[in-house]
Amino acid sequence: MAYDKENIFAKILRGEIPCDKIYEDDYVLSFRDIRPQAPSHALIIPKGEYVDINDFSANASDHEIVGFNKAISKVADMLGISESSGGGGYRLIANAGKDAHQEVPHLHFHLLAGRPLGPMVFREKQEYK
Ligand code: DGP
């Protein structure tokens, strides 16, 4: 899929739409999700134009990949949700494509925390044999 420069996160990166900023550096912007699914729900996005994690891991530079990954622990520690910063831990989610219900076509990691988060994925029916 080609990158859509008019997606909502591109507009946030350009400063055309406000966000509740948590952290920013040369490679990433982190801000609070507008529809929080947990007491703490942060998003981390790269500043480069990548549709999803598949696009990013295939096409981003080593600097971008390292910068993006290092931002995860920075944000988790800043929010106090990592166990090493005294929190209870967190879940990191990256939806990619339609089956994962990716809504915004600019790569973003969700950091969810602040309560027990339950099973990792919703199961429509048990299919164990
Ligand atoms: P996903 O389904 O993984 O593509 O999640 C997209 C998330 O983006 C969803 O949890 C809601 C959030 N979101 C959508 N529009 C905005 C916005 O304008 N501002 C902020 N802060 N979050 C948004």
Side-chain angles (χ1 to χ4, degrees), residues 8-9 12 17 31-35 41 43 95 101-104 108 110:
I8 203 92
F9 292 170
I12 286 175
I17 291 178
F31 50 94
R32 294 189 189 278
D33 194 291
I34 208 167
R35 293 198 309 268
H41 187 168
L43 298 170
N95 294 316
H101 292 209
Q102 182 181 1
E103 180 188 321
V104 180
H108 48 284
H110 298 257

Side-chain angles (χ1 to χ4, degrees), residues 89-107:
Y90 59 93
R91 182 167 293 155
L92 186 65
I93 297 174
N95 294 316
K98 63 179 182 336
D99 280 358
H101 292 209
Q102 182 181 1
E103 180 188 321
V104 180
H106 181 112
L107 169 61

